Amino acid sequence: MAKTRISISLKSEDAELIRKIAAENGLDVSAFLVMAGRKEAKRLAEVAAAFAEIDARIAAAEAEAESLEWPPVEDLDPAEVTRVEAEIAAARALSAARRRGAAA
């Protein structure tokens, strides 16, 4: 089976730890990292699957929120409108950053 070579950069102490643990378990570094990578990829896929439904509901709610009238029809203090809009933007940015972090 053809193999693909990838290169990673590690802190020297991380590299030494990986070499040590791999050797203690009868593995070369490549086999150890493949095993660890597969395990982590599986874990992340399971997390994504576990949260898929709620993530879809959140996305739908956010999409629906985009169509809501803002500010509401009743009169609001302009400073309050600005404050609330800033809080909403900050919450959306945090949510997007979290999703990007999970996907990475």
Side-chain angles (χ1 to χ4, degrees):
M1 172 171 41
K3 295 189 178 188
T4 301
R5 178 177 288 276
I6 60 173
S7 176
I8 62 171
S9 299
L10 303 170
K11 293 180 183 176
S12 59
E13 58 267 19
D14 291 336
E16 288 307 313
L17 176 62
I18 289 169
R19 283 187 192 105
K20 177 181 180 272
I21 300 301
E24 288 174 359
N25 287 280
L27 299 168
D28 61 33
V29 170
S30 183
F32 178 81
L33 290 175
V34 168
M35 178 187 70
R38 282 184 182 147
K39 182 177 179 180
E40 183 63 4
K42 182 177 184 264
R43 186 189 73 80
L44 290 174
E46 289 170 353
V47 168
F51 286 96
E53 182 180 344
I54 190 69
D55 286 342
R57 287 183 180 192
I58 290 170
E62 288 175 342
E64 180 183 352
E66 292 296 327
S67 68
L68 298 176
E69 184 178 338
W70 183 254
V73 181
E74 58 269 5
D75 293 329
L76 293 176
D77 174 25
E80 181 69 2
V81 170
T82 300
R83 183 190 66 77
V84 171
E85 286 175 338
E87 287 183 17
I88 290 169
R92 286 181 176 158
L94 180 59
S95 176
R98 286 182 178 156
R99 283 193 300 272
R100 284 190 305 273

PDB file of all heavy atoms in Angstrom, residues 8-37:
ATOM      1  N   ILE A   8       6.002  17.198  10.562  1.00  0.00           N
ATOM      2  CA  ILE A   8       5.474  18.005  11.654  1.00  0.00           C
ATOM      3  C   ILE A   8       6.648  18.626  12.399  1.00  0.00           C
ATOM      4  O   ILE A   8       7.767  18.116  12.361  1.00  0.00           O
ATOM      5  CB  ILE A   8       4.580  17.193  12.620  1.00  0.00           C
ATOM      6  CG1 ILE A   8       5.372  16.069  13.290  1.00  0.00           C
ATOM      7  CG2 ILE A   8       3.365  16.657  11.912  1.00  0.00           C
ATOM      8  CD1 ILE A   8       4.617  15.371  14.401  1.00  0.00           C
ATOM      9  N   SER A   9       6.380  19.705  13.077  1.00  0.00           N
ATOM     10  CA  SER A   9       7.393  20.355  13.906  1.00  0.00           C
ATOM     11  C   SER A   9       6.944  20.253  15.353  1.00  0.00           C
ATOM     12  O   SER A   9       5.785  20.524  15.678  1.00  0.00           O
ATOM     13  CB  SER A   9       7.537  21.824  13.521  1.00  0.00           C
ATOM     14  OG  SER A   9       7.952  21.931  12.179  1.00  0.00           O
ATOM     15  N   LEU A  10       7.862  19.840  16.214  1.00  0.00           N
ATOM     16  CA  LEU A  10       7.557  19.652  17.633  1.00  0.00           C
ATOM     17  C   LEU A  10       8.594  20.349  18.489  1.00  0.00           C
ATOM     18  O   LEU A  10       9.741  20.517  18.072  1.00  0.00           O
ATOM     19  CB  LEU A  10       7.601  18.160  17.999  1.00  0.00           C
ATOM     20  CG  LEU A  10       6.704  17.203  17.245  1.00  0.00           C
ATOM     21  CD1 LEU A  10       7.084  15.771  17.588  1.00  0.00           C
ATOM     22  CD2 LEU A  10       5.271  17.455  17.617  1.00  0.00           C
ATOM     23  N   LYS A  11       8.195  20.679  19.692  1.00  0.00           N
ATOM     24  CA  LYS A  11       9.168  21.114  20.685  1.00  0.00           C
ATOM     25  C   LYS A  11      10.035  19.895  20.994  1.00  0.00           C
ATOM     26  O   LYS A  11       9.550  18.755  20.959  1.00  0.00           O
ATOM     27  CB  LYS A  11       8.467  21.582  21.955  1.00  0.00           C
ATOM     28  CG  LYS A  11       7.651  22.837  21.778  1.00  0.00           C
ATOM     29  CD  LYS A  11       6.996  23.206  23.087  1.00  0.00           C
ATOM     30  CE  LYS A  11       6.099  24.410  22.945  1.00  0.00           C
ATOM     31  NZ  LYS A  11       5.394  24.712  24.190  1.00  0.00           N
ATOM     32  N   SER A  12      11.275  20.133  21.299  1.00  0.00           N
ATOM     33  CA  SER A  12      12.195  19.003  21.527  1.00  0.00           C
ATOM     34  C   SER A  12      11.714  18.105  22.658  1.00  0.00           C
ATOM     35  O   SER A  12      11.826  16.877  22.578  1.00  0.00           O
ATOM     36  CB  SER A  12      13.616  19.494  21.786  1.00  0.00           C
ATOM     37  OG  SER A  12      13.656  20.340  22.912  1.00  0.00           O
ATOM     38  N   GLU A  13      11.147  18.689  23.703  1.00  0.00           N
ATOM     39  CA  GLU A  13      10.675  17.858  24.820  1.00  0.00           C
ATOM     40  C   GLU A  13       9.482  16.990  24.405  1.00  0.00           C
ATOM     41  O   GLU A  13       9.339  15.858  24.870  1.00  0.00           O
ATOM     42  CB  GLU A  13      10.348  18.695  26.065  1.00  0.00           C
ATOM     43  CG  GLU A  13       9.302  19.763  25.864  1.00  0.00           C
ATOM     44  CD  GLU A  13       9.850  21.136  25.501  1.00  0.00           C
ATOM     45  OE1 GLU A  13      10.989  21.254  25.050  1.00  0.00           O
ATOM     46  OE2 GLU A  13       9.083  22.097  25.676  1.00  0.00           O
ATOM     47  N   ASP A  14       8.639  17.497  23.507  1.00  0.00           N
ATOM     48  CA  ASP A  14       7.523  16.693  23.010  1.00  0.00           C
ATOM     49  C   ASP A  14       8.037  15.542  22.153  1.00  0.00           C
ATOM     50  O   ASP A  14       7.567  14.406  22.257  1.00  0.00           O
ATOM     51  CB  ASP A  14       6.547  17.553  22.202  1.00  0.00           C
ATOM     52  CG  ASP A  14       5.782  18.544  23.061  1.00  0.00           C
ATOM     53  OD1 ASP A  14       5.644  18.307  24.278  1.00  0.00           O
ATOM     54  OD2 ASP A  14       5.320  19.557  22.510  1.00  0.00           O
ATOM     55  N   ALA A  15       9.012  15.831  21.306  1.00  0.00           N
ATOM     56  CA  ALA A  15       9.594  14.795  20.448  1.00  0.00           C
ATOM     57  C   ALA A  15      10.226  13.688  21.287  1.00  0.00           C
ATOM     58  O   ALA A  15      10.043  12.497  21.006  1.00  0.00           O
ATOM     59  CB  ALA A  15      10.628  15.403  19.502  1.00  0.00           C
ATOM     60  N   GLU A  16      10.943  14.074  22.319  1.00  0.00           N
ATOM     61  CA  GLU A  16      11.579  13.077  23.184  1.00  0.00           C
ATOM     62  C   GLU A  16      10.545  12.229  23.913  1.00  0.00           C
ATOM     63  O   GLU A  16      10.696  11.014  24.039  1.00  0.00           O
ATOM     64  CB  GLU A  16      12.530  13.753  24.180  1.00  0.00           C
ATOM     65  CG  GLU A  16      13.795  14.284  23.541  1.00  0.00           C
ATOM     66  CD  GLU A  16      14.533  13.229  22.720  1.00  0.00           C
ATOM     67  OE1 GLU A  16      14.720  12.093  23.218  1.00  0.00           O
ATOM     68  OE2 GLU A  16      14.907  13.529  21.573  1.00  0.00           O
ATOM     69  N   LEU A  17       9.497  12.857  24.401  1.00  0.00           N
ATOM     70  CA  LEU A  17       8.437  12.114  25.087  1.00  0.00           C
ATOM     71  C   LEU A  17       7.785  11.116  24.135  1.00  0.00           C
ATOM     72  O   LEU A  17       7.566   9.950  24.497  1.00  0.00           O
ATOM     73  CB  LEU A  17       7.388  13.074  25.649  1.00  0.00           C
ATOM     74  CG  LEU A  17       6.176  12.432  26.315  1.00  0.00           C
ATOM     75  CD1 LEU A  17       6.587  11.617  27.534  1.00  0.00           C
ATOM     76  CD2 LEU A  17       5.156  13.495  26.694  1.00  0.00           C
ATOM     77  N   ILE A  18       7.493  11.556  22.925  1.00  0.00           N
ATOM     78  CA  ILE A  18       6.869  10.668  21.942  1.00  0.00           C
ATOM     79  C   ILE A  18       7.794   9.500  21.619  1.00  0.00           C
ATOM     80  O   ILE A  18       7.359   8.344  21.584  1.00  0.00           O
ATOM     81  CB  ILE A  18       6.469  11.455  20.673  1.00  0.00           C
ATOM     82  CG1 ILE A  18       5.287  12.366  20.997  1.00  0.00           C
ATOM     83  CG2 ILE A  18       6.134  10.513  19.518  1.00  0.00           C
ATOM     84  CD1 ILE A  18       4.961  13.381  19.921  1.00  0.00           C
ATOM     85  N   ARG A  19       9.061   9.779  21.390  1.00  0.00           N
ATOM     86  CA  ARG A  19      10.025   8.694  21.118  1.00  0.00           C
ATOM     87  C   ARG A  19      10.070   7.692  22.267  1.00  0.00           C
ATOM     88  O   ARG A  19      10.050   6.486  22.048  1.00  0.00           O
ATOM     89  CB  ARG A  19      11.428   9.271  20.901  1.00  0.00           C
ATOM     90  CG  ARG A  19      11.641   9.886  19.563  1.00  0.00           C
ATOM     91  CD  ARG A  19      13.119  10.286  19.375  1.00  0.00           C
ATOM     92  NE  ARG A  19      13.263  11.109  18.214  1.00  0.00           N
ATOM     93  CZ  ARG A  19      13.454  12.432  18.234  1.00  0.00           C
ATOM     94  NH1 ARG A  19      13.573  13.069  19.369  1.00  0.00           N
ATOM     95  NH2 ARG A  19      13.557  13.095  17.106  1.00  0.00           N
ATOM     96  N   LYS A  20      10.113   8.221  23.493  1.00  0.00           N
ATOM     97  CA  LYS A  20      10.205   7.372  24.685  1.00  0.00           C
ATOM     98  C   LYS A  20       8.976   6.478  24.827  1.00  0.00           C
ATOM     99  O   LYS A  20       9.096   5.261  24.987  1.00  0.00           O
ATOM    100  CB  LYS A  20      10.365   8.258  25.927  1.00  0.00           C
ATOM    101  CG  LYS A  20      10.407   7.507  27.242  1.00  0.00           C
ATOM    102  CD  LYS A  20      10.546   8.507  28.401  1.00  0.00           C
ATOM    103  CE  LYS A  20      10.591   7.813  29.727  1.00  0.00           C
ATOM    104  NZ  LYS A  20       9.307   7.589  30.320  1.00  0.00           N
ATOM    105  N   ILE A  21       7.798   7.074  24.757  1.00  0.00           N
ATOM    106  CA  ILE A  21       6.562   6.305  24.946  1.00  0.00           C
ATOM    107  C   ILE A  21       6.361   5.316  23.802  1.00  0.00           C
ATOM    108  O   ILE A  21       5.941   4.166  24.025  1.00  0.00           O
ATOM    109  CB  ILE A  21       5.346   7.245  25.088  1.00  0.00           C
ATOM    110  CG1 ILE A  21       5.510   8.176  26.290  1.00  0.00           C
ATOM    111  CG2 ILE A  21       4.046   6.462  25.179  1.00  0.00           C
ATOM    112  CD1 ILE A  21       5.685   7.478  27.634  1.00  0.00           C
ATOM    113  N   ALA A  22       6.678   5.731  22.583  1.00  0.00           N
ATOM    114  CA  ALA A  22       6.555   4.824  21.439  1.00  0.00           C
ATOM    115  C   ALA A  22       7.453   3.619  21.643  1.00  0.00           C
ATOM    116  O   ALA A  22       7.011   2.462  21.490  1.00  0.00           O
ATOM    117  CB  ALA A  22       6.911   5.546  20.142  1.00  0.00           C
ATOM    118  N   ALA A  23       8.712   3.843  22.009  1.00  0.00           N
ATOM    119  CA  ALA A  23       9.663   2.742  22.218  1.00  0.00           C
ATOM    120  C   ALA A  23       9.213   1.829  23.348  1.00  0.00           C
ATOM    121  O   ALA A  23       9.308   0.601  23.240  1.00  0.00           O
ATOM    122  CB  ALA A  23      11.055   3.308  22.507  1.00  0.00           C
ATOM    123  N   GLU A  24       8.714   2.414  24.433  1.00  0.00           N
ATOM    124  CA  GLU A  24       8.241   1.617  25.564  1.00  0.00           C
ATOM    125  C   GLU A  24       7.093   0.696  25.167  1.00  0.00           C
ATOM    126  O   GLU A  24       6.848  -0.314  25.821  1.00  0.00           O
ATOM    127  CB  GLU A  24       7.799   2.526  26.714  1.00  0.00           C
ATOM    128  CG  GLU A  24       8.945   3.199  27.434  1.00  0.00           C
ATOM    129  CD  GLU A  24       8.484   4.207  28.483  1.00  0.00           C
ATOM    130  OE1 GLU A  24       7.240   4.403  28.640  1.00  0.00           O
ATOM    131  OE2 GLU A  24       9.351   4.811  29.127  1.00  0.00           O
ATOM    132  N   ASN A  25       6.386   1.073  24.128  1.00  0.00           N
ATOM    133  CA  ASN A  25       5.247   0.279  23.663  1.00  0.00           C
ATOM    134  C   ASN A  25       5.556  -0.510  22.402  1.00  0.00           C
ATOM    135  O   ASN A  25       4.650  -1.012  21.734  1.00  0.00           O
ATOM    136  CB  ASN A  25       4.033   1.196  23.463  1.00  0.00           C
ATOM    137  CG  ASN A  25       3.451   1.635  24.783  1.00  0.00           C
ATOM    138  OD1 ASN A  25       2.711   0.897  25.405  1.00  0.00           O
ATOM    139  ND2 ASN A  25       3.837   2.817  25.255  1.00  0.00           N
ATOM    140  N   GLY A  26       6.828  -0.595  22.069  1.00  0.00           N
ATOM    141  CA  GLY A  26       7.246  -1.413  20.934  1.00  0.00           C
ATOM    142  C   GLY A  26       6.872  -0.832  19.578  1.00  0.00           C
ATOM    143  O   GLY A  26       6.718  -1.575  18.607  1.00  0.00           O
ATOM    144  N   LEU A  27       6.713   0.477  19.510  1.00  0.00           N
ATOM    145  CA  LEU A  27       6.322   1.127  18.263  1.00  0.00           C
ATOM    146  C   LEU A  27       7.415   2.088  17.808  1.00  0.00           C
ATOM    147  O   LEU A  27       8.126   2.655  18.631  1.00  0.00           O
ATOM    148  CB  LEU A  27       5.032   1.926  18.461  1.00  0.00           C
ATOM    149  CG  LEU A  27       3.792   1.140  18.886  1.00  0.00           C
ATOM    150  CD1 LEU A  27       2.689   2.097  19.317  1.00  0.00           C
ATOM    151  CD2 LEU A  27       3.318   0.245  17.757  1.00  0.00           C
ATOM    152  N   ASP A  28       7.496   2.268  16.493  1.00  0.00           N
ATOM    153  CA  ASP A  28       8.353   3.352  16.032  1.00  0.00           C
ATOM    154  C   ASP A  28       7.527   4.637  16.109  1.00  0.00           C
ATOM    155  O   ASP A  28       6.308   4.611  16.323  1.00  0.00           O
ATOM    156  CB  ASP A  28       8.917   3.093  14.631  1.00  0.00           C
ATOM    157  CG  ASP A  28       7.849   2.963  13.554  1.00  0.00           C
ATOM    158  OD1 ASP A  28       6.796   3.629  13.650  1.00  0.00           O
ATOM    159  OD2 ASP A  28       8.077   2.209  12.597  1.00  0.00           O
ATOM    160  N   VAL A  29       8.183   5.771  15.973  1.00  0.00           N
ATOM    161  CA  VAL A  29       7.502   7.056  16.127  1.00  0.00           C
ATOM    162  C   VAL A  29       6.355   7.196  15.121  1.00  0.00           C
ATOM    163  O   VAL A  29       5.265   7.651  15.467  1.00  0.00           O
ATOM    164  CB  VAL A  29       8.507   8.223  15.997  1.00  0.00           C
ATOM    165  CG1 VAL A  29       7.795   9.563  15.907  1.00  0.00           C
ATOM    166  CG2 VAL A  29       9.471   8.219  17.177  1.00  0.00           C
ATOM    167  N   SER A  30       6.586   6.787  13.893  1.00  0.00           N
ATOM    168  CA  SER A  30       5.558   6.910  12.869  1.00  0.00           C
ATOM    169  C   SER A  30       4.316   6.109  13.248  1.00  0.00           C
ATOM    170  O   SER A  30       3.184   6.622  13.184  1.00  0.00           O
ATOM    171  CB  SER A  30       6.107   6.438  11.527  1.00  0.00           C
ATOM    172  OG  SER A  30       5.136   6.621  10.519  1.00  0.00           O
ATOM    173  N   ALA A  31       4.489   4.860  13.643  1.00  0.00           N
ATOM    174  CA  ALA A  31       3.349   4.020  14.019  1.00  0.00           C
ATOM    175  C   ALA A  31       2.615   4.609  15.224  1.00  0.00           C
ATOM    176  O   ALA A  31       1.381   4.610  15.283  1.00  0.00           O
ATOM    177  CB  ALA A  31       3.817   2.601  14.324  1.00  0.00           C
ATOM    178  N   PHE A  32       3.394   5.110  16.182  1.00  0.00           N
ATOM    179  CA  PHE A  32       2.789   5.707  17.373  1.00  0.00           C
ATOM    180  C   PHE A  32       1.943   6.924  17.004  1.00  0.00           C
ATOM    181  O   PHE A  32       0.806   7.068  17.462  1.00  0.00           O
ATOM    182  CB  PHE A  32       3.877   6.107  18.376  1.00  0.00           C
ATOM    183  CG  PHE A  32       3.339   6.767  19.604  1.00  0.00           C
ATOM    184  CD1 PHE A  32       2.812   6.024  20.632  1.00  0.00           C
ATOM    185  CD2 PHE A  32       3.355   8.158  19.726  1.00  0.00           C
ATOM    186  CE1 PHE A  32       2.307   6.639  21.772  1.00  0.00           C
ATOM    187  CE2 PHE A  32       2.854   8.775  20.860  1.00  0.00           C
ATOM    188  CZ  PHE A  32       2.324   8.013  21.888  1.00  0.00           C
ATOM    189  N   LEU A  33       2.484   7.807  16.153  1.00  0.00           N
ATOM    190  CA  LEU A  33       1.744   9.006  15.778  1.00  0.00           C
ATOM    191  C   LEU A  33       0.523   8.683  14.916  1.00  0.00           C
ATOM    192  O   LEU A  33      -0.515   9.333  15.049  1.00  0.00           O
ATOM    193  CB  LEU A  33       2.662   9.996  15.070  1.00  0.00           C
ATOM    194  CG  LEU A  33       3.708  10.655  15.978  1.00  0.00           C
ATOM    195  CD1 LEU A  33       4.643  11.529  15.164  1.00  0.00           C
ATOM    196  CD2 LEU A  33       3.045  11.460  17.084  1.00  0.00           C
ATOM    197  N   VAL A  34       0.618   7.680  14.070  1.00  0.00           N
ATOM    198  CA  VAL A  34      -0.552   7.260  13.287  1.00  0.00           C
ATOM    199  C   VAL A  34      -1.636   6.747  14.230  1.00  0.00           C
ATOM    200  O   VAL A  34      -2.812   7.112  14.105  1.00  0.00           O
ATOM    201  CB  VAL A  34      -0.171   6.195  12.242  1.00  0.00           C
ATOM    202  CG1 VAL A  34      -1.414   5.542  11.644  1.00  0.00           C
ATOM    203  CG2 VAL A  34       0.688   6.808  11.144  1.00  0.00           C
ATOM    204  N   MET A  35      -1.237   5.915  15.198  1.00  0.00           N
ATOM    205  CA  MET A  35      -2.199   5.382  16.154  1.00  0.00           C
ATOM    206  C   MET A  35      -2.864   6.522  16.939  1.00  0.00           C
ATOM    207  O   MET A  35      -4.092   6.570  17.066  1.00  0.00           O
ATOM    208  CB  MET A  35      -1.494   4.428  17.129  1.00  0.00           C
ATOM    209  CG  MET A  35      -2.404   3.855  18.202  1.00  0.00           C
ATOM    210  SD  MET A  35      -1.503   2.898  19.438  1.00  0.00           S
ATOM    211  CE  MET A  35      -0.618   4.201  20.283  1.00  0.00           C
ATOM    212  N   ALA A  36      -2.063   7.453  17.442  1.00  0.00           N
ATOM    213  CA  ALA A  36      -2.600   8.570  18.220  1.00  0.00           C
ATOM    214  C   ALA A  36      -3.483   9.468  17.351  1.00  0.00           C
ATOM    215  O   ALA A  36      -4.543   9.925  17.796  1.00  0.00           O
ATOM    216  CB  ALA A  36      -1.450   9.371  18.828  1.00  0.00           C
ATOM    217  N   GLY A  37      -3.050   9.703  16.114  1.00  0.00           N
ATOM    218  CA  GLY A  37      -3.834  10.536  15.208  1.00  0.00           C
ATOM    219  C   GLY A  37      -5.177   9.926  14.882  1.00  0.00           C
ATOM    220  O   GLY A  37      -6.202  10.612  14.852  1.00  0.00           O
TER     221      GLY A  37
END
